[in-house]
Amino acid sequence: MKESFAGGIQRIEQKDDRTLFIAWTDGRQQDIDVVALRRVCPCAGCKDEWTHKPLISPASIPETVRPIFIESVGRYALKVGFSDGHSTGIYSFDTLRGLSDTHDA
Amino acid sequence: MNILSEVSQRIFRKPSLVTEDAVRQALRVVIDPDLHKDIVTLGFIKKIAIEGAKVNVVVELTTPACPVKEKLRGECVAAISALVGVQEVQVEMTAAVRKTTRVDHAEKIPTLAGVRNIIAVASGKGGVGKSTTAVNLAYALAAKGARVGILDADIYGPSIPHMTKAPMPTHMDGQAVIPPESGGVKIISVSMFGSADKATTLRGPMVSQIVRSFLQQVAWGELDYLIIDYPPGTGDIQITLSQLAPITGAVIVTTPQDVSLIDVRRAMQMFDTVKIPIIGVIETMSYFICDGCTKKHYIFRSGGGQKLATEHGVPILAEIPMEAIVAATADAGEAIVKAQPDSYAGMAYSYAAGEVARQVAVLTMNDQSGLKGFRLEWRAL
């Protein structure tokens, strides 16, 4: 089991056309590619509930997909409404922190 | 009047002897036992007035239900009295409950904008006295001077209106219902909403929708504490509530037996998953005191709540005894902390409420969880 992050988000903003910037309360800063975010949607329609295998192929998500809104879910996650009409994914802070940081890449 | 006191009188009457700075410095020895910082650093000193040898100080605590209020007051008086030139000290203790959320969640749920802290009262299974606990915590906090509301979200068995004799809501503020009051506490129950009586036969998504709408459509106004009576267990409604409402912390109610503890562990895991801090555990039906003697009879097993609290690293807030009067007062529509404040259970609940207020104040001051209740609109660039 991965260790759970106890903190939260200090600052969140749109960095550029397809990059979401998050400053975490522990000081870590992360750039997240929003197209990649859509491709790893953790909802039950996009990921098998038991095997966690993706049910959508990355290629089926166009490069042009963008968020419409991003909002907080309780104290532990974000919900993203995407331009392809998909908005059922709840991204926990642990999931988000596990994503690759496009700034370092 | 002898010559010595006359001289000292003359010296001490000089206003220059006591300064505001000196008083402020003196008060730095008074440490808040929960926040481990002195009350000056914490910004609790709201006013220092000096008039000759008379000093008047106003201290603002983070909760009117502070259990160590008198102790702190005594320490303040002692610290100031020790200053040269001070003959009379008056320390007034006030309170302003701080808000949990750093960013207003007004945009997401405008009706909760004036609510400073939301406390979930939850349990692993039904019948452990969760609603009784919610009601008594609410009335005990109100008795200590806080503005309190109860949201009865136990969709499968809403019992708060019965326990408080709360009337049906009759007024609206725009689209929002104005909660009726009973004994100075604002009360809203799912049972007051037409759609709720079908809830027992509704399934997940529908139930979540009902919870959502009645969270968003109640005009709570200004509250220090909103107590949410959760349905027992760990289903859709509990998770929806935890996602929608910016909850400060959860109070877990359990009876001492192992079967109750197994389920309650699951409830605690749920709060961990959604990162709602657990304020502490309240154990109900801990022991029985019969009419004839003062011996505590542990009918169920003893120490279950303590075990759970230790295991999870959270405080046990109270052990509530079984007393016939608890159920009798609940059925009569009055909280035991109001009807029989000197009973064992009444005192235990009153103590628990003080502990809840204290833990909430600590959580609020040490909150490291960052932004809450935000929404970011993505712009086309």
Side-chain angles (χ1 to χ4, degrees), chain B residues 2 53 140 159 214 235 256 263 301 303-304 346:
Chain B
N2 68 38
S159 49
F214 93 100
D263 290 334
R301 314 173 69 168

Side-chain angles (χ1 to χ4, degrees), chain B residues 113-172:
Chain B
V115 178
R116 289 167 197 276
N117 293 289
I118 304 179
I119 298 165
V121 176
S123 70
K125 65 186 202 80
V128 298
K130 174 181 54 62
S131 299
T132 307
T133 298
V135 165
N136 278 290
L137 286 180
Y139 281 94
L141 286 167
K144 292 169 203 275
R147 297 165 298 178
V148 184
I150 306 175
L151 176 56
D152 177 12
D154 190 348
I155 208 154
Y156 299 117
S159 49
I160 303 284
H162 178 71
M163 289 181 174
T164 58
K165 291 247 188 305
M168 288 292 283
T170 48
H171 291 80
M172 299 285 286

